[in-house]
Amino acid sequence: MSEETRPAAEVGDRSAARRRDRDRPLTQEEVLRRNSVERLKVEKHPYDVLNDIPRFMEMPYEAIPEEDILRLQWYGLYHDKPKVGYFMMRVKIPNGTLTPEQLRVIGKISQRYGENSGELTTRQDIQIHFIRIASLPAIFEELAAVGLTTAGGCGDNLRNITGCPVAGIDAEQLFDPQPTIREMAAFFSGNREYGNLPRKHKYTVSACPYHCNAPEIHDIALVGTRQDGQDGYAFWIGGGLSSVPRIGKNLGVFVPVDQAMEVARGLTDVWKSDLRYRISRAKARFKFMVDDDGPEAIREKLETHLGRKLEDLQENPQPIGRTDHMGIHRQTGAGADDARELHYIGFPVFPGLMTGEQMCQVADLLGDEGEFRITREQNFILSHVPKAEIDRVVQAVAEIGFPLTVNKVRGTSIGCTGDPMCNFAVGPTKTKLVELVTQMEARFGEQISDLRVYLDGCPHACGQHWVGDLGFQGTTRNSETGKITSYDIIVRGKLGPEAQIGRPLLRRIASTEVNGYAERLVEAWVQGRGHGEGLPEFYRRHSDEEVQAIAAGAPLGAA
């Protein structure tokens, strides 16, 4: 019997029991008894696994304790697939900004230790595959020499702090949030106190008027705004994706720039000290605390923790549109006087892959002031390009493998690491994304230049499939010959003023059929959309049954 068909009294009793269980006092002993990862962190702080690496280097890979393999995540390391001793290594890059020297070092590490692999991530990191434990001491030394680290790249800590990739150089920004990001990154990076959070925790900080950094889907988002002539941040809390997606909620406070660090840290302290969110890994994210308590109660707890009241937010900031920051743009900020006329140029990277050799080649193009900046949609931006050098740089980057003159859909589409490298993925991701986009590009051309196709290989949603115009999540289905690779197709997802988690209306579509389903969905939108109407809005005004019928081949009018 489902809960919908149970007697109301029985349902009420169950709900009350759940509330009592949620609200009853917990002890550290109970947490350690019920949660093996919490025990693991108490028995040996994961950051201390660094001291064991020389010992691991002398051991057969299979002999390394599994709990220490897990602790290696705190240094940005995950098993590559298959589990035969290779690792993916994630380099943390606050706000995705690198100097030419830093980019070159990562490129050389990729070539020397990582079989020339590399990928740009949705959290503005760079990941390298095929890393051996024996290479780690040399890699960590080379990264540290240029001010980089992998500490906190994975594991139960504050992940890489993201933001607008053109912070500090874009004419439309409200103010420069980079000092806030630098302050936070310096404090949290490798910080033992914040290396034992209930689960991973994600900040984003930006004053981009387009909200290009997706503040809606972060645990804590600092959204730049102005109030009574003062620069500061609205705080959005409780966003996140994975298998239980949430759009963040407005905390209702205005925080001046110089108080941002204190308030963000205070929110994290309130969450990490609550044992309710350490008892179960499945319910350990900050979004569940926001679900349980609501923004108003979270604010009360925060103000109690800080010992003072916070200023009310007068108006919740909303994006003025959408942008991917691709193409050529006049630069503002330090060094960008009229005589020099500097520009930044955004280059699509499809599907987010970049070899170590290409990293070194791009680094060689940048001048002393130039920077390499990674975007949320897995592209890169080169800054401080003099006007006279634009054509030369664009041509050189095209020769390296990243032409500027391609359909925009190549820059607005995302594919997670996925198969064959990720142990969680159940189907191809980047190769499937290329297949889908290439087919639709050939059919519809510039009509789909603003389409956002986000594809994941599993429910973890690293590729953010819940908020793409068209989202795809890898899964499997049974057939007469056994399990076959399939995809759920998600529609109606969107970021922005009408942000919404998408709906998986088409389930377990075989990989051999999914391209046709996607093409029919796009065709109906292209033929039937109103002026400026995006695919999410188009399918919001169609019923679930109509969407399913269109995807299956029914004409738009008949559906």
Side-chain angles (χ1 to χ4, degrees), residues 337-352:
D337 54 85
D338 289 340
R340 303 181 70 208
E341 194 172 331
L342 298 177
H343 291 73
Y344 67 82
I345 310 174
F347 293 90
V349 180
F350 185 61

Side-chain angles (χ1 to χ4, degrees), residues 316-374:
N316 193 26
Q318 296 298 317
I320 63 174
R322 294 195 74 171
T323 184
D324 50 21
H325 297 297
M326 294 291 96
I328 301 167
H329 303 266
R330 180 77 178 267
Q331 184 173 315
T332 189
D337 54 85
D338 289 340
R340 303 181 70 208
E341 194 172 331
L342 298 177
H343 291 73
Y344 67 82
I345 310 174
F347 293 90
V349 180
F350 185 61
L353 295 175
M354 190 176 191
T355 67
E357 181 181 13
Q358 289 172 321
M359 293 178 208
C360 291
Q361 291 171 335
V362 170
D364 291 341
L365 285 176
L366 290 165
D368 293 337
E369 295 178 289
E371 293 171 325
F372 179 89
R373 295 171 173 231
I374 303 166

Side-chain angles (χ1 to χ4, degrees), residues 284-324:
R285 294 294 300 275
F286 185 46
K287 62 187 174 185
F288 294 109
M289 186 178 193
V290 177
D291 279 353
D292 289 342
D293 295 348
E296 296 80 8
I298 298 288
R299 177 177 176 174
E300 290 178 8
K301 292 180 179 182
L302 171 64
E303 290 176 335
T304 298
H305 177 78
L306 296 175
R308 61 184 176 87
K309 293 290 186 181
L310 296 172
E311 184 178 347
D312 289 338
L313 180 69
Q314 296 171 9
E315 183 178 356
N316 193 26
Q318 296 298 317
I320 63 174
R322 294 195 74 171
T323 184
D324 50 21

Side-chain angles (χ1 to χ4, degrees), residues 18-31:
R18 282 196 293 266
R19 285 195 298 272
R20 285 195 302 272
D21 187 61
R22 188 196 76 193
D23 296 336
R24 68 180 177 82
L26 293 170
T27 65
Q28 177 73 356
E29 290 73 20
E30 184 176 358
V31 168

Side-chain angles (χ1 to χ4, degrees), residues 177-468:
Q178 291 180 112
T180 302
I181 295 170
R182 285 193 288 266
E183 179 186 13
M184 289 182 171
F187 177 80
F188 287 110
S189 183
N191 187 321
R192 295 175 67 88
E193 182 182 355
Y194 293 89
N196 181 9
L197 301 178
R199 281 288 299 276
K200 59 186 175 184
H201 199 48
K202 296 178 179 179
Y203 284 10
T204 192
V205 181
S206 176
C208 174
Y210 295 93
H211 295 187
C212 69
N213 55 316
E216 302 93 333
I217 57 173
H218 282 75
D219 293 289
I220 297 177
L222 281 67
V223 184
T225 189
R226 285 200 181 103
Q227 189 159 300
D228 297 329
Q230 186 176 21
D231 292 338
Y233 300 99
F235 274 63
W236 296 357
I237 60 172
L241 297 179
S242 194
S243 57
V244 186
R246 294 286 186 272
I247 296 296
K249 298 177 175 64
N250 178 18
L251 187 61
V253 300
F254 172 79
V255 179
V257 168
D258 62 357
Q259 299 173 25
M261 171 72 187
E262 176 194 19
V263 174
R265 180 184 176 187
L267 277 167
T268 300
D269 287 343
V270 166
W271 169 61
K272 79 182 182 72
S273 62
D274 193 327
L275 293 180
R276 289 182 298 168
Y277 304 100
R278 292 184 183 270
I279 203 78
S280 165
R281 299 286 290 175
K283 294 288 186 180
R285 294 294 300 275
F286 185 46
K287 62 187 174 185
F288 294 109
M289 186 178 193
V290 177
D291 279 353
D292 289 342
D293 295 348
E296 296 80 8
I298 298 288
R299 177 177 176 174
E300 290 178 8
K301 292 180 179 182
L302 171 64
E303 290 176 335
T304 298
H305 177 78
L306 296 175
R308 61 184 176 87
K309 293 290 186 181
L310 296 172
E311 184 178 347
D312 289 338
L313 180 69
Q314 296 171 9
E315 183 178 356
N316 193 26
Q318 296 298 317
I320 63 174
R322 294 195 74 171
T323 184
D324 50 21
H325 297 297
M326 294 291 96
I328 301 167
H329 303 266
R330 180 77 178 267
Q331 184 173 315
T332 189
D337 54 85
D338 289 340
R340 303 181 70 208
E341 194 172 331
L342 298 177
H343 291 73
Y344 67 82
I345 310 174
F347 293 90
V349 180
F350 185 61
L353 295 175
M354 190 176 191
T355 67
E357 181 181 13
Q358 289 172 321
M359 293 178 208
C360 291
Q361 291 171 335
V362 170
D364 291 341
L365 285 176
L366 290 165
D368 293 337
E369 295 178 289
E371 293 171 325
F372 179 89
R373 295 171 173 231
I374 303 166
T375 79
R376 179 184 66 86
E377 290 183 306
Q378 301 174 320
N379 305 307
F380 69 76
I381 292 168
L382 304 185
S383 73
H384 295 79
V385 179
K387 183 178 180 179
E389 293 291 305
I390 290 174
D391 290 343
R392 182 188 69 83
V393 170
V394 169
Q395 179 61 33
V397 174
E399 291 171 0
I400 292 170
F402 307 105
L404 196 58
T405 54
V406 295
N407 193 315
K408 281 179 59 182
V409 71
R410 296 190 170 214
T412 56
S413 296
I414 295 173
C416 74
T417 298
D419 200 46
M421 304 306 299
C422 177
N423 284 284
F424 299 110
V426 295
T429 49
K430 291 186 181 295
T431 53
K432 189 63 177 179
L433 177 69
V434 171
E435 183 184 303
L436 279 164
V437 169
T438 302
Q439 178 174 322
M440 289 191 286
E441 187 181 51
R443 172 80 188 279
F444 303 108
E446 291 300 314
Q447 295 180 97
I448 61 163
S449 61
D450 291 326
L451 186 69
R452 284 170 164 79
V453 182
Y454 293 178
L455 190 147
D456 274 299
C458 81
H460 290 172
C462 300
Q464 304 177 356
H465 63 267
W466 291 113
V467 292

